[in-house]
Amino acid sequence: MKETKDTARRVLAALREAGADEASCSVTETETREFNVDGGKGSLFRGLFDTPLRMTVFKDRRRGTVGLNKTDDESIRQAVEDCMAAAAAAEPDEAWGLAETGDERTFLEGAPEPELDRFFDRTSELMDDIKARYPKILVEQMITEHKSYRQTYVNTSGAEYTTVGGEYGVSVMFSGHDGDKSSSFNSAGAVFASLDKKLIDLGSIDADLAATEKQIDTLPMEGKFVGTVVLTPGCLGECMDSLLGSFTGDSAILDGSSIWKDKLGEKVADERITVRFDPFDERIVCGERFTGEGYLSEPCDVIKDGVLERFMLSRFVSKKTGFDRLPNGGSAMVIPAGDKTLDELIAGVERGILVGRFSGGAPSNAGDFSGVAKNSFLIENGKISSALSETMISGNLAELLRSLVGFSKETVADGASVLPWGVFTGVTISGK
């Protein structure tokens, strides 16, 4: 920890000496121990070391930033010179700057030191569990890792924030096979700080494996209709990220293209919808404690009980537009659960599909979307029936939020987010 502090302080002093009006520096030391499985067999164990360093400078309201992966004196000297040159070449803007105040804080997060023997046993156990529970699944690749890190951020406003932490992670890519038939690829993963649970029981890993094995045999969707979609937690999170970026993000608000630009304080969604970013939630592993602009992170609601509470803005766009900045980095999404089980929600679906993944381009400025529903199943008369080959779905994201049937009581906490299943009506579903 002392080394990251010393390096960060040294860089900040060099930036000040070079003539910076304001400056910041972030130095991170990481050590990763990684197990690899390829084609169902263990293939590699390795240790990785990384020292990313990032500096930002403001001079005459011009901004320059440089990143490097070396901390020796000559590399830092050259990077400081390059950073000042980048600022000199930039266009000035009064909105540039850093957090106005700061103090000294140290944060301890997760599991900084790994239990390697136990972690290896859990990794081997995961392979055995997949073979036992899902014999038709082929693990194409699996990576399990433990990452220890020390990060120090300093700036000219007096901030000196240091985080010492560590987390385990698992990522699995797989497909189903039965003779000459196979499913499409799927993936699942989680981050975690404890080895008390089997890895197969973390996040949605078990559910995704089960769904993929059932997708070896698929049927094409026939015809076209407007129906109901059941979004898995992973798919719901991706859709919500896309929606919020399009309607509340920096670019959409700065250029005025957002259809919500005049909707602050107004109802934009079903009253049962709250979208919160909370890095302090106990189910989030190693949540963010400070932002890249030098602010201490705080939880916040972007949508609360259907009402748009705030935009997701950086300090720069906040200063340009006059709207409040987002008080964190926009990670650790939490959507509160509903009052019905997933089975109860599905029982109420007359005709629709369950969507595991969505593949499509960015939505239009108005929120219109169109793409392919992957890892999906047909729902008829309240029951999940056949797995579907790739099926097109289209609709409007803004209207989707107003057509909520319900969120499930069940949620998936994968260490990075906490999300339920979401059921929505009014989506166009198209087959051949």
Side-chain angles (χ1 to χ4, degrees):
M1 183 168 66
K2 184 176 184 298
E3 186 170 341
T4 60
K5 283 186 177 181
D6 290 346
T7 301
R9 291 168 177 170
R10 180 159 47 104
V11 171
L12 193 64
L15 291 170
R16 279 174 163 152
E17 186 176 344
D21 297 329
E22 296 179 80
S24 68
C25 176
S26 174
V27 182
T28 308
E29 294 178 351
T30 64
E31 181 178 0
T32 304
R33 287 92 159 182
E34 182 181 287
F35 298 109
N36 284 276
V37 174
D38 290 285
K41 297 181 179 180
S43 60
L44 179 69
F45 172 69
R46 62 180 177 178
L48 303 170
F49 300 88
D50 196 19
T51 313
L53 185 157
R54 186 174 182 85
M55 61 181 75
T56 299
V57 65
F58 301 93
K59 177 68 174 177
D60 299 326
R61 291 302 173 188
R62 303 170 191 264
R63 177 179 181 267
T65 185
V66 168
L68 64 157
N69 203 37
K70 297 179 180 179
T71 58
D72 60 278
D73 289 343
E74 177 56 26
S75 296
I76 288 175
R77 184 200 66 77
Q78 184 62 56
V80 168
E81 184 178 312
D82 293 344
C83 196
M84 294 300 297
E91 293 293 325
D93 197 309
E94 290 296 319
W96 284 124
L98 296 168
E100 294 75 11
T101 61
D103 57 12
E104 185 173 350
R105 298 284 187 92
T106 298
F107 306 97
L108 300 176
E109 295 294 321
E113 296 300 325
E115 300 178 67
L116 283 181
D117 289 343
R118 194 177 177 200
F119 188 37
F120 179 78
D121 290 341
R122 284 298 195 197
T123 299
S124 299
E125 178 185 61
L126 175 57
M127 288 300 302
D128 292 340
D129 285 340
I130 292 173
K131 290 177 183 178
R133 296 187 193 184
Y134 306 108
K136 295 180 182 179
I137 289 292
L138 172 64
V139 175
E140 309 285 349
Q141 184 181 61
M142 180 172 75
I143 298 174
T144 59
E145 66 178 19
H146 178 274
K147 182 179 293 185
S148 302
Y149 60 90
R150 293 172 175 81
Q151 179 186 23
T152 295
Y153 170 92
V154 296
N155 69 22
T156 49
S157 299
E160 183 172 287
Y161 305 139
T162 297
T163 299
V164 179
E167 63 186 31
Y168 299 95
V170 56
S171 175
V172 192
M173 185 174 69
F174 47 88
S175 55
H177 295 264
D178 187 6
D180 59 355
K181 297 180 295 183
S182 63
S183 72
S184 62
F185 288 111
N186 202 353
S187 61
V191 292
F192 48 103
S194 168
L195 295 172
D196 291 344
K197 290 185 177 180
K198 287 189 169 192
L199 302 192
I200 198 170
D201 295 327
L202 298 175
S204 63
I205 295 175
D206 187 58
D208 291 337
L209 287 164
T212 300
E213 194 171 68
K214 293 175 183 176
Q215 288 156 0
I216 296 173
D217 293 295
T218 60
L219 294 175
M221 169 68 72
E222 298 293 341
K224 178 179 179 179
F225 66 98
V226 176
T228 301
V229 293
V230 179
L231 303 181
T232 64
C235 191
L236 175 65
E238 291 175 2
C239 289
M240 200 64 73
D241 275 334
S242 181
L243 181 151
L244 293 177
S246 296
F247 297 163
T248 72
D250 274 353
S251 296
I253 300 303
L254 188 59
D255 64 20
S257 62
S258 169
I259 63 173
W260 285 358
K261 62 181 182 295
D262 301 317
K263 299 293 186 181
L264 276 182
E266 296 183 19
K267 186 176 180 181
V268 296
D270 185 284
E271 63 187 13
R272 293 168 293 175
I273 296 180
T274 292
V275 182
R276 183 173 179 82
F277 291 95
D278 189 355
F280 293 88
D281 188 289
E282 63 181 7
R283 296 163 293 183
I284 300 298
V285 177
C286 294
E288 168 196 272
R289 293 297 180 258
F290 52 88
T291 74
E293 296 173 320
Y295 294 99
L296 291 171
S297 298
E298 301 174 19
C300 69
D301 296 317
V302 175
I303 299 172
K304 183 174 177 59
D305 300 330
V307 174
L308 181 63
E309 295 283 302
R310 63 170 65 245
F311 298 129
M312 297 180 66
L313 302 183
S314 64
R315 180 192 184 279
F316 175 77
V317 177
S318 171
K319 294 294 184 181
K320 295 287 283 186
T321 61
F323 295 118
D324 292 340
R325 65 175 179 83
L326 189 73
N328 57 56
S331 61
M333 182 186 291
V334 178
I335 296 179
D339 57 4
K340 291 185 178 180
T341 67
L342 177 60
D343 287 343
E344 288 172 335
L345 289 171
I346 290 174
V349 177
E350 182 178 345
R351 193 174 187 212
I353 61 173
L354 186 152
V355 184
R357 290 188 296 135
F358 175 77
S359 177
S364 70
N365 288 342
D368 296 321
F369 69 90
S370 179
V372 180
K374 294 178 174 288
N375 305 111
S376 58
F377 293 86
L378 179 65
I379 303 174
E380 291 182 303
N381 300 317
K383 295 182 180 180
I384 295 176
S385 57
S386 60
L388 295 172
S389 53
E390 294 185 350
T391 301
M392 295 294 296
I393 60 174
S394 60
N396 181 275
L397 290 175
E399 292 303 317
L400 200 70
L401 290 192
R402 296 181 180 275
S403 64
L404 177 72
V405 174
F407 289 131
S408 64
K409 283 184 177 180
E410 304 93 333
T411 59
V412 168
D414 62 2
S417 61
V418 185
L419 303 168
W421 279 259
V423 183
F424 303 87
T425 60
V427 175
T428 300
I429 302 166
S430 307
K432 290 186 175 180

